[in-house]
Amino acid sequence: MNLKRKRYHNLLIIFTIFLTYNLIFRINNNDVVIDNIHRNWKRDTTPTTTFPTPATTPFTPITTSSIPTTTLSTTPSTSTTTPSTPTITPITTPLKIELTFDQSVPNWFFEIDFGTPPQPLNIPISFTSNLLWVVSEFCMSLLGDACNVRTANLYNTSQSDTAFGDYEEFTFSFMGVELIAVWVNDTASVAGDVQIQTFYQLPIGLPKDTNRSGTNASIPDSTIGTIGINPYQNNQIVGIALSTDTDPEGDMDGGTLTFGGVDTDYIIGEDESNIIYYPFLPFTETDQTVRLSFSNVYFDGVAQNYSGTVSFNGDIKNIQFGNFFADFIVNVFLPGGVFYPNGSATIDCNISTTLNLSFEFNNQTNHTWRLPASAIVDEVISGNECSSTITGGANDSNSWVFGSTFFENFYMVFDQVNSQLGIAARSDIDYGPNSSQVNVMVQIPILINRIQCLIITEYDPTGQEQGSQVFSVDNVDSNDYYYLGDDYFAQEGFFYSIRFFTGTSSDDHSTCQEYGAVCTPNLSANLLEDPWIIGLQDFSETVRLDPNTGNFLGCIEQILAFNSSLFTNLTANPCVIL
């Protein structure tokens, strides 16, 4: 009896070894297709997981029972570099997917149910590929070496009744390592905002081996896979609104990803016409990266006359310029800015919300995109020193990369069918105070009699008076500056003249009493600072007096009267230009 059992045990071992050898031999015998996945958005290149093209007929879900049960084919294929075209249910209405954000990674995720019965996995999105791949039993010993053996956080094809495939091989890059993978087709479902979209016979990439020497697994145990949202498969429009905010329940609100359309909830005015589209720059045989023409950068509305090209990559965080240009921006415009040779930079943590750094694409001067001041500040280093999201590090001094800092503050639309990229201002983002107006602070002249009242008069760009406002001068600071308050603004393109009086304001606050002491010329509003600071140097000249008699002898260009002994009718003509 024991001899029989031993023979049976030996036969079982031999059969297992034979079966495993044949399966591995068939998989490893396939042709290898090399495909380099680059860092930036690109046009379609293999490998690609193809999603369905929108149809005009209403979507009718197909029940699981109508899908025949199949098993994985063990016949190897060497025919093509991409999976055979499956019959799959099309997306007929925009598929809006709620994203979650994981700060520890950091990355954005959404859930996909793989196989029948469903195996739910939370898959991170990738901006650098057009491939859906997941960890499976294929990357574990004895079938492969790309990952360690795990019992959770994987897609197990052997437990799906609808998985099938011919094991076509391809390669892709992950974390700088080339992986050999195989194609498998299976059912996958995604829960959208208003519908559950099921894809039948969806091509899925399964990593298998590491294409390098060594025994260490290339895929970390914490990694499940990725879904590439570039270039969005069958030329579909895809809208992206990334967020790292926390919702009222304390969960991370990652924004939305919309296949086949846009999510107007994130666009100002909920109006799709507010999306501004820019054409892709021409592609070359060797470079299929999606780029836009970058025509200028503005600081507080003033063009700095720097131009180049920009690609977009949400897999990195920073906005990467060439080191020379980044050094210029950081040291000249960002408070506390220090630029380092390795391309990194530090800035003050408490940057004012009034700071206005804006970008222009494709010479469309009527549309500039202002980056919120808070988005420029990254992690605290110590005290008031923070790292900056404006950095160097771009490989080319005139070809720059905009990372997730840009994505998180604008609505982005990838429209491959029309070879264009759309950008829109978002309704949930505070871009800072209106850059076309600023508050006002004025330095009070020191005269024989104290200034107690002032009248500021506004003139439009043509010189027409638009009205005056009276202020009682109180709460003057230690440098003799008076702030006109949060409710008074100077507007871009307008001019302002201020008259100072020694008397108080009238009871109805419509004018100032007693004598006009000093007045300014018409000053153009300065939007480079908020508040606009008007100092004595902006409206005064040296006054010349006779040293023997003290008589007023005039001034070089402009000014004025100090008291009634100088002019007999100051109330009628309080300002005299000499």
Side-chain angles (χ1 to χ4, degrees):
M1 185 68 178
N2 288 336
L3 185 59
K4 264 187 178 181
R5 186 177 299 167
K6 186 173 182 181
R7 286 175 180 171
Y8 176 77
H9 181 70
N10 290 337
L11 285 172
L12 183 61
I13 292 174
I14 293 171
F15 176 76
T16 302
I17 293 173
F18 173 78
L19 184 63
T20 303
Y21 171 80
N22 272 272
L23 182 59
I24 294 175
F25 176 80
R26 286 174 179 140
I27 292 174
N28 286 334
N29 232 7
N30 289 313
D31 291 333
V32 175
V33 179
I34 304 297
D35 179 75
N36 294 318
I37 305 296
H38 296 279
R39 291 183 57 79
N40 302 303
W41 279 358
K42 291 178 171 294
R43 275 188 177 277
D44 262 323
T45 54
T46 55
T48 175
T49 299
T50 304
F51 281 95
T53 305
T56 57
T57 55
F59 169 60
T60 303
I62 301 176
T63 60
T64 303
S65 60
S66 66
I67 303 298
T69 300
T70 59
T71 57
L72 283 171
S73 167
T74 57
T75 304
S77 168
T78 59
S79 57
T80 61
T81 61
T82 56
S84 55
T85 303
T87 302
I88 45 184
T89 305
I91 299 174
T92 58
T93 59
L95 178 62
K96 174 182 170 182
I97 303 167
E98 301 288 342
L99 301 175
T100 57
F101 178 73
D102 187 344
Q103 182 66 51
S104 64
V105 180
N107 211 332
W108 289 265
F109 297 77
F110 66 91
E111 185 176 289
I112 302 178
D113 291 338
F114 293 93
T116 308
Q119 302 174 43
L121 294 174
N122 218 18
I123 304 296
I125 64 176
S126 171
F127 294 84
T128 61
S129 76
N130 51 7
L131 171 68
L132 168 61
W133 68 268
V134 291
V135 169
S136 71
E137 72 274 22
F138 277 80
C139 64
M140 305 175 198
S141 179
L142 297 167
L143 294 178
D145 63 7
C147 67
N148 295 317
V149 174
R150 64 175 76 174
T151 57
N153 291 330
L154 80 155
Y155 159 55
N156 194 331
T157 61
S158 66
Q159 294 181 7
S160 174
D161 297 333
T162 50
F164 69 97
D166 51 15
Y167 305 118
E168 292 180 69
E169 285 193 351
F170 65 93
T171 65
F172 70 98
S173 178
F174 175 70
M175 298 179 65
V177 176
E178 188 177 68
L179 299 179
I180 301 173
V182 295
W183 288 112
V184 170
N185 296 79
D186 203 352
T187 297
S189 297
V190 178
D193 188 48
V194 295
Q195 84 264 32
I196 295 177
Q197 182 70 53
T198 300
F199 304 98
Y200 299 103
Q201 304 175 37
L202 181 68
I204 305 167
L206 305 181
K208 186 171 68 70
D209 295 313
T210 300
N211 198 13
R212 68 174 184 184
S213 59
T215 58
N216 292 333
S218 301
I219 303 174
D221 294 341
S222 58
T223 298
I224 303 174
T226 62
I227 177 168
I229 58 174
N230 159 46
Y232 309 131
Q233 286 57 3
N234 303 49
N235 297 332
Q236 293 192 66
I237 293 175
V238 173
I240 307 169
L242 298 185
S243 175
T244 57
D245 293 335
T246 304
D247 63 22
E249 287 74 31
D251 298 322
M252 296 301 295
D253 175 16
T256 64
L257 179 68
T258 306
F259 287 100
V262 298
D263 181 5
T264 56
D265 290 345
Y266 280 90
I267 300 172
I268 287 180
E270 298 186 358
D271 187 352
E272 195 170 337
S273 66
N274 287 330
I275 302 172
I276 307 301
Y277 285 93
Y278 302 94
F280 299 159
L281 290 175
F283 297 99
T284 66
E285 290 185 6
T286 58
D287 187 359
Q288 296 285 301
T289 303
V290 172
R291 300 183 192 278
L292 297 185
S293 171
F294 182 94
S295 47
N296 224 322
V297 60
Y298 294 81
F299 187 79
D300 285 334
V302 178
Q304 302 305 313
N305 299 321
Y306 275 84
S307 60
T309 65
V310 168
S311 57
F312 298 88
N313 178 14
D315 290 347
I316 65 173
K317 183 171 187 178
N318 295 338
I319 293 177
Q320 296 180 347
F321 291 104
N323 282 0
F324 177 81
F325 187 30
D327 189 356
F328 171 73
I329 292 178
V330 170
N331 284 304
V332 176
F333 297 127
L334 302 185
V338 178
F339 187 80
Y340 298 95
N342 65 357
S344 64
T346 58
I347 55 177
D348 288 348
C349 298
N350 59 346
I351 289 181
S352 170
T353 58
T354 61
L355 186 143
N356 184 348
L357 182 65
S358 302
F359 306 115
E360 174 192 295
F361 301 103
N362 205 43
N363 292 306
Q364 294 193 23
T365 56
N366 56 328
H367 294 291
T368 58
W369 306 101
R370 179 180 181 179
L371 195 65
S374 58
I376 302 173
V377 180
D378 199 5
E379 298 177 352
V380 176
I381 297 175
S382 64
N384 190 36
E385 183 185 24
C386 285
S387 56
S388 169
T389 59
I390 303 294
T391 67
N395 294 330
D396 189 326
S397 60
N398 291 313
S399 183
W400 310 315
V401 182
F402 280 21
S404 63
T405 293
F406 192 84
F407 277 81
E408 291 173 40
N409 290 284
F410 300 97
Y411 194 84
M412 309 288 289
V413 182
F414 188 95
D415 179 7
Q416 187 181 350
V417 70
N418 295 307
S419 294
Q420 60 184 4
L421 180 71
I423 305 176
R426 280 175 44 173
S427 55
D428 62 327
I429 299 295
D430 182 4
Y431 295 100
N434 188 340
S435 59
S436 64
Q437 60 185 29
V438 291
N439 295 116
V440 180
M441 180 178 283
V442 60
Q443 193 171 21
I444 303 300
I446 302 174
L447 306 177
I448 298 173
N449 295 323
R450 185 173 69 89
I451 298 298
Q452 300 186 74
C453 184
L454 66 82
I455 300 175
I456 184 167
T457 304
E458 180 180 73
Y459 301 88
D460 69 17
T462 67
Q464 296 296 313
E465 183 177 331
Q466 298 299 307
S468 300
Q469 192 165 336
V470 177
F471 292 87
S472 294
V473 177
D474 51 16
N475 296 322
V476 177
D477 69 15
S478 58
N479 293 315
D480 301 314
Y481 281 96
Y482 171 70
Y483 180 56
L484 274 60
D486 294 335
D487 298 329
Y488 188 85
F489 296 95
Q491 301 182 68
E492 183 177 13
F494 281 62
F495 300 89
Y496 297 84
S497 176
I498 304 174
R499 291 180 290 167
F500 300 91
F501 293 80
T502 57
T504 60
S505 64
S506 60
D507 292 338
D508 61 0
H509 219 68
S510 62
T511 188
C512 293
Q513 302 181 90
E514 297 189 21
Y515 303 114
V518 177
C519 80
T520 73
N522 289 351
L523 302 172
S524 177
N526 180 10
L527 270 66
L528 296 181
E529 55 189 11
D530 191 5
W532 171 26
I533 298 177
I534 304 172
L536 291 178
Q537 70 278 3
D538 296 315
F539 61 88
S540 62
E541 296 287 352
T542 303
V543 174
R544 295 185 295 164
L545 300 176
D546 187 319
N548 298 316
T549 64
N551 291 335
F552 176 68
L553 300 179
C555 56
I556 297 174
E557 290 182 359
Q558 183 230 303
I559 292 207
L560 323 193
F562 277 43
N563 56 48
S564 59
S565 65
L566 299 179
F567 295 97
T568 58
N569 190 11
L570 285 176
T571 56
N573 185 17
C575 295
V576 176
I577 306 299
L578 300 178

